[in-house]
Amino acid sequence: MKRQLAIGGAMVGAAGAALGWTIARKLTAPVGPRRFNLTLRGVEINGDRQLLLLDRTGDTEAPGTYNLWFERGGWAQLGNEVEDRGQNLVARIVVGVSPGFTPRASDRASWSGIYFATPEDAGLVARDITIRTPVGSAPAWRVDGHTSTWAIHLHGLGSPRTGTLRGVQVATQLGLTSLVVSYRNDGEGPTVGAGRSTLGAAETEDVEAAIGYAVRRGAERIVLFGWSMGAAIALQLATRSDYGPQIVGLVLDSPVLNWIEVIKANCNRARLPSSLGLLAVPWLTNAQLSRLTGVACQIPFRESDWIARADELSVPTLILHGADDDSVPINTSSALAGKRPDLVQLESFNAGHTLAWNSDTERWRATVSAWLSGHLAV
């Protein structure tokens, strides 16, 4: 009987280890191709209005401005209006399409909050530059302004840098020079090892190189705009970078403030018990185990717990977060704002992960603009 119990215990332990390894691998996976999981059910032309018919989902019926990216190339920007077309369909009005593209019924598409494909689409005049990072050259966009305050825009895990253009517009209107950067293993920056993310642990070095680029070219003050994992990178830089004195503000959208809580939330999102996420922690935090997952270095999760480290914050911070975010829940942002009301302002939106801008574009822009103007006198 004891032997049977021992065998059973070993099997359970092995199964738990295997599941933890699988979760760790999924979380740090190299950037993959976009998934086109929507089918365009029809196209309506009503005068000068074009509407696209889509299956009704939580995304497609959400008010706000979004983008459809199509498998055969091209995109269509969708306006705020949502019209019912029966129980299973909604119609979304088209407010812009990529040049030469015409949506067709049966097209496969991907729903996204990434609204602009290029800086030009966002009305920005950008030039391509290269940042020399410790692991190679990383492409970036530079949008010149007329003040000595620069904004550096940091995208999140699995998201391209185009997603940050939503924030670059505000920085540009205020006269800031912007750098829209890439970093290692994000699909655009240098590829290191197996191409896996270190959840900001190593990527921070590449963003620090971008700050150095800005300082050497006249930047006296730096504002970091961080989206999701980009926010985790921004917080590390604000507290430990040699350029810390130049970092005067953080604008964080859907910020990762505790990786363990994020892992648990995403297990729950996948309809698994959230506690199973804890099985992945040793595979990412232990030096030997992390190598077995293909991650280039161990990930110090304790350093990413900004609720525990709240007293270390010294930079004024604006957080914009969706109340419906099931990937990076808003409760961590609420906890940080509660601990540091002297430094942290939280603005809640009726939105999912990194979709606050999309859910209420004018409010997002006005909030960021007012906060920057008030705190930085730009």
Side-chain angles (χ1 to χ4, degrees):
M1 184 66 169
K2 289 183 179 180
R3 182 182 178 186
Q4 291 174 327
L5 290 174
I7 293 173
M11 291 176 65
V12 170
L19 181 56
W21 179 85
T22 300
I23 295 171
R25 293 271 294 179
K26 185 174 179 61
L27 182 65
T28 60
V31 176
R34 177 179 288 277
R35 294 179 58 205
F36 299 95
N37 53 2
L38 284 177
T39 299
L40 184 57
R41 301 301 181 184
V43 179
E44 294 181 356
I45 304 297
N46 184 2
D48 60 353
R49 294 178 6 128
Q50 183 181 42
L51 298 102
L52 304 184
L53 272 60
L54 298 163
D55 292 325
R56 183 187 298 274
T57 70
D59 288 332
T60 62
E61 68 178 357
T65 54
Y66 301 91
N67 207 332
L68 277 181
W69 300 83
F70 289 88
E71 188 172 29
R72 62 184 177 89
W75 46 261
Q77 294 171 334
L78 307 177
N80 191 59
E81 297 177 47
V82 184
E83 297 185 9
D84 289 329
R85 291 296 184 272
Q87 183 176 357
N88 299 318
L89 293 177
V90 296
R92 303 294 301 237
I93 188 168
V94 176
V95 296
V97 295
S98 53
F101 181 75
T102 302
R104 298 194 302 247
S106 300
D107 274 346
R108 299 290 294 173
S110 176
W111 185 267
S112 179
I114 299 174
Y115 197 67
F116 305 109
T118 68
E120 291 73 23
D121 294 331
L124 302 167
V125 179
R127 55 192 172 102
D128 293 308
I129 65 166
T130 298
I131 304 294
R132 294 183 179 178
T133 78
V135 292
S137 297
W141 289 310
R142 176 173 167 174
V143 180
D144 288 327
H146 56 75
T147 78
S148 58
T149 303
W150 287 43
I152 298 179
H153 304 265
L154 317 176
H155 65 81
L157 179 65
S159 176
R161 58 188 162 126
T162 51
T164 71
L165 293 172
R166 291 168 286 180
V168 180
Q169 286 183 321
V170 177
T172 301
Q173 289 166 0
L174 293 175
L176 281 63
T177 292
S178 282
L179 290 181
V180 184
V181 303
S182 60
Y183 45 73
R184 69 189 70 185
N185 296 338
D186 70 352
E188 294 185 89
T191 299
V192 177
R196 291 186 169 274
S197 172
T198 65
L199 306 184
E203 293 87 344
T204 300
E205 297 178 1
D206 305 334
V207 179
E208 188 163 32
I211 297 176
Y213 170 96
V215 170
R216 291 190 298 273
R217 286 157 180 81
E220 297 176 4
R221 301 187 300 174
I222 303 289
V223 178
L224 299 178
F225 281 65
W227 297 71
S228 192
M229 187 183 86
I233 294 173
L235 285 160
Q236 293 292 349
L237 289 165
T239 53
R240 77 182 195 196
S241 171
D242 291 340
Y243 298 109
Q246 282 82 31
I247 299 173
V248 296
L250 303 178
V251 178
L252 310 180
D253 192 297
S254 309
V256 172
L257 301 174
N258 183 318
W259 270 115
I260 293 177
E261 291 304 313
V262 170
I263 294 170
K264 289 164 63 178
N266 280 274
C267 282
N268 190 58
R269 186 184 185 192
R271 299 182 180 179
L272 295 171
S274 60
S275 58
L276 291 181
L278 298 175
L279 297 173
V281 174
W283 290 101
L284 297 170
T285 58
N286 179 278
Q288 293 180 331
L289 292 178
S290 64
R291 284 195 292 270
L292 294 177
T293 66
V295 177
C297 66
Q298 65 188 108
I299 300 172
F301 278 165
R302 288 184 180 179
E303 292 186 11
S304 73
D305 183 354
W306 290 101
I307 311 308
R309 297 182 63 188
D311 291 342
E312 299 178 41
L313 295 179
S314 60
V315 179
T317 301
L318 172 65
I319 296 178
L320 308 114
H321 209 141
D324 300 325
D325 192 335
D326 59 358
S327 181
V328 180
I330 194 174
N331 62 336
T332 51
S333 290
S334 299
L336 182 60
K339 279 199 165 189
R340 293 304 305 270
D342 56 319
L343 278 182
V344 179
Q345 176 181 330
L346 171 62
E347 294 291 332
S348 174
F349 291 74
N350 295 323
H353 187 56
T354 67
L355 296 176
W357 182 97
N358 303 85
S359 71
D360 193 338
T361 302
E362 292 308 313
R363 181 184 162 215
W364 195 100
R365 287 172 171 164
T367 299
V368 174
S369 180
W371 186 88
L372 287 172
S373 297
H375 283 77
L376 305 179
V378 295

